[in-house]
């Protein structure tokens, strides 16, 4: 369905929430606050290349303000935009070791927000797309009291909403409240996110694989065999898959969401838990991809069923088209069984 010209993010969220009996509109207001914060972040990200003119990190810019690292800037903007709306009990951010409490002067709400304020920010100097990732839960601790770490350590399938913003050739916000995945493109002329991708569905199989092949020598054998299989030829089409790796998780997964394919950041001999963070990278992206008909796992277990133990814990991730993720899981399983048999000899 071609989206209507002026289906704004706010209107879409409100209409979506109306379908949920008993909805209070709090989630709509929370997401609207978030959208405002990312518009402000987008302004700064899009002129990052001019920072040298405006003043480099650590210096004062033309307004006499201290120039921050962009990821810390994004973190601060999100905290300031989200801490007073009365919708949140607690927050957690990649940029903050501990959970972030709501200031006492503000009303405490029923939701929990976890986020990676600016993922891939090391790419910004090369003008490569980067992103913001968010994950929203209902609190589990008693209403009215300050939120707790327990609120922030829920399995991914308990998310009530998740999304990401990709700051690329355009600024796009993709979100799901569990019932379809929707993409909104920022129209700078009106300052609104307008629906541009209605009810996104990821193809059941893709032709793209996305991982850092520079780590080849650290990979486990099952992954090495899988990637070689993709490079040889695809049984269906006789052609090898295409390798695409931006080095920015949000951009890589966003491309695969639209075109199909698989993104992998595996456990390897150096990093037994991989690199990416479960709570504010893997879980929200898994929630979105599953809502679009795809699949996400750590190679064995469904990502959304992993029981978290700490806010910043890492997890391997295989995410994208269902057929591709099932296929790599088969390669990993068969290799593990073969190695176990070998050990018995
Ligand atoms: P590597 C960016 O630093 C990031 O956190 C993700 O966005 C990206 O997918 C990954 O790390 C890239 O890591 O080890 O391939 O440079």
């Amino acid at each position: 369905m071609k989206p209507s010209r002026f289906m704004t993010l706010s209107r879409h969220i409100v209409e979506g929430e109306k379908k949920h009996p008993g909805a209070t509109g709090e989630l709509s207001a929370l997401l609207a606050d978030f959208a405002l914060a990312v518009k402000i972040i987008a302004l700064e990200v899009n002129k990052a290349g001019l920072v040298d003119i405006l003043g480099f990190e650590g210096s004062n810019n033309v307004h006499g303000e201290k120039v921050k690292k962009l990821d810390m800037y994004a973190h601060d903007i999100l905290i300031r935009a989200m801490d007073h709306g009365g919708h949140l009990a607690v927050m957690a951010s990649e940029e903050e070791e501990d959970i972030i409490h709501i200031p006492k002067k503000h009303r405490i709400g029923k939701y929990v927000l976890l986020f990676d304020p600016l993922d891939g920010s090391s790419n910004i100097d090369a003008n490569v797309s980067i992103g913001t990732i968010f994950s929203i839960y209902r609190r589990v601790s008693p209403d009215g009291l300050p939120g707790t770490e327990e609120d922030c350590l829920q399995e991914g399938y308990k998310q009530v909403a998740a999304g990401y913003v990709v700051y690329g050739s355009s600024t796009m916000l993709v979100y799901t409240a569990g019932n379809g995945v929707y993409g909104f493109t920022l129209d700078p002329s009106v300052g609104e996110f307008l629906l541009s991708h209605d009810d996104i569905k990821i193809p059941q199989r893709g032709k793209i694989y996305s991982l850092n092949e520079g780590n080849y020598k650290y990979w486990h054998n099952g992954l090495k065999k899988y990637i070689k299989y993709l490079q040889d030829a695809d049984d269906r089409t006789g052609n090898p898959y295409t390798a695409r790796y931006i080095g920015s998780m949000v951009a890589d997964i966003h491309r695969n969401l639209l075109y199909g394919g698989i993104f992998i950041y595996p456990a390897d001999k150096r990093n037994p838990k991989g690199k990416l963070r479960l709570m504010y990278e893997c879980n929200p992206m898994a929630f979105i991809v599953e809502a679009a008909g795809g699949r996400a796992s750590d190679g064995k277990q469904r990502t959304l069923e992993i029981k978290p133990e700490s806010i910043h814990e890492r997890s391997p991730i295989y995410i994208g088209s269902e057929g591709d993720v099932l296929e790599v899981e088969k390669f990993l399983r068969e290799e593990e069984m073969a190695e176990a048999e070998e050990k018995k000899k």
Side-chain angles (χ1 to χ4, degrees):
M1 177 187 85
K2 183 164 174 38
S4 75
R5 170 128 173 67
F6 284 105
M7 173 57 85
T8 63
L9 173 62
S10 310
R11 193 176 132 209
H12 191 271
I13 294 164
V14 169
E15 290 187 2
E17 203 164 21
K18 281 178 191 161
K19 294 173 191 163
H20 292 276
T24 61
E26 274 211 79
L27 182 61
S28 306
L30 195 165
L31 287 167
D33 288 349
F34 189 87
L36 174 62
V38 296
K39 287 180 201 172
I40 296 168
I41 294 168
L43 278 176
E44 205 63 24
V45 167
N46 292 336
K47 69 184 176 189
L50 300 174
V51 162
D52 288 343
I53 298 173
L54 299 175
F56 49 87
E57 281 171 37
S59 70
N60 290 340
N61 64 18
V62 292
H63 312 292
E65 298 151 346
K66 176 83 61 195
V67 176
K68 296 172 182 162
K69 276 171 60 69
L70 267 178
D71 37 16
M72 277 315 294
Y73 171 81
H75 167 83
D76 292 345
I77 290 288
L78 283 163
I79 299 291
R80 284 176 16 211
M82 304 306 293
D83 71 357
H84 59 278
H87 315 301
L88 294 175
V90 65
M91 291 185 263
S93 164
E94 176 171 52
E95 299 297 337
E96 188 84 49
E97 186 57 36
D98 301 319
I99 61 174
I100 300 160
H101 285 294
I102 303 305
K104 289 188 171 37
K105 61 187 175 188
H106 299 316
R107 185 167 63 87
I108 289 181
K110 60 185 179 185
Y111 289 105
V112 179
L113 174 68
L114 298 101
F115 58 89
D116 181 353
L118 210 57
D119 179 70
S121 54
S122 58
N123 290 311
I124 190 73
D125 294 341
N127 206 17
V128 170
S129 298
I130 55 179
T132 297
I133 311 170
F134 68 91
S135 171
I136 299 172
Y137 293 84
R138 286 291 305 265
R139 71 181 302 172
V140 291
S141 58
D143 283 350
L145 297 176
T148 65
E149 188 170 62
E150 182 195 12
D151 288 319
C152 299
L153 290 177
Q154 301 179 57
E155 292 93 333
Y157 70 85
K158 295 176 182 172
Q159 292 172 92
V160 294
Y164 60 81
V165 179
V166 53
Y167 309 100
S169 50
S170 62
T171 297
M172 197 169 156
L173 185 148
V174 175
Y175 96 102
T176 183
N179 183 23
V181 178
Y182 300 92
F184 297 80
T185 300
L186 184 62
D187 179 341
S189 65
V190 293
E192 278 286 359
F193 279 107
L194 301 180
L195 183 64
S196 53
H197 295 68
D198 194 7
D199 197 15
I200 300 172
K201 294 294 180 199
I202 186 171
Q204 204 282 335
R205 291 293 294 257
K207 292 289 293 163
I208 294 170
Y209 73 92
S210 182
L211 83 168
N212 184 341
E213 298 194 63
N215 296 327
Y216 176 83
K217 73 175 185 179
Y218 303 113
W219 293 351
H220 297 303
N221 288 333
L223 179 58
K224 288 183 178 177
K225 288 182 177 174
Y226 172 67
I227 297 300
K228 179 147 180 8
Y229 161 76
L230 296 187
Q231 293 170 339
D232 284 348
D234 175 332
D235 301 343
R236 291 170 292 133
T237 63
N239 301 317
Y241 273 45
T242 296
R244 289 284 183 275
Y245 192 67
I246 300 170
S248 191
M249 177 192 204
V250 170
D252 277 315
I253 293 178
H254 179 67
R255 178 208 51 243
N256 289 359
L257 185 70
L258 300 182
Y259 298 166
I262 185 168
F263 172 86
I264 299 170
Y265 209 104
D268 64 24
K269 292 168 188 162
R270 281 189 308 179
N271 303 305
K273 297 280 274 180
K275 172 182 182 181
L276 301 178
R277 309 286 183 169
L278 174 64
M279 294 314 295
Y280 41 77
E281 291 175 336
C282 299
N283 268 337
M285 299 310 275
F287 194 64
I288 294 162
V289 167
E290 283 203 4
R295 180 179 173 82
S297 76
D298 64 2
K300 282 184 186 171
Q301 181 180 15
R302 182 178 171 231
T303 296
L304 295 181
E305 289 176 353
I306 295 173
K307 178 73 184 107
E309 287 163 15
S310 69
I311 289 169
H312 301 289
E313 75 178 69
R314 302 173 193 272
S315 171
I317 188 161
Y318 298 76
I319 183 170
S321 295
E322 184 185 37
D324 292 306
V325 177
L326 287 170
E327 191 160 62
V328 67
E329 289 172 354
K330 181 170 176 284
F331 272 81
L332 298 174
R333 186 168 54 249
E334 289 177 352
E335 186 61 23
E336 191 174 344
M337 287 163 65
E339 289 173 352
E341 284 304 309
E342 199 58 35
K343 277 184 185 156
K344 287 178 187 168
K345 288 175 184 172

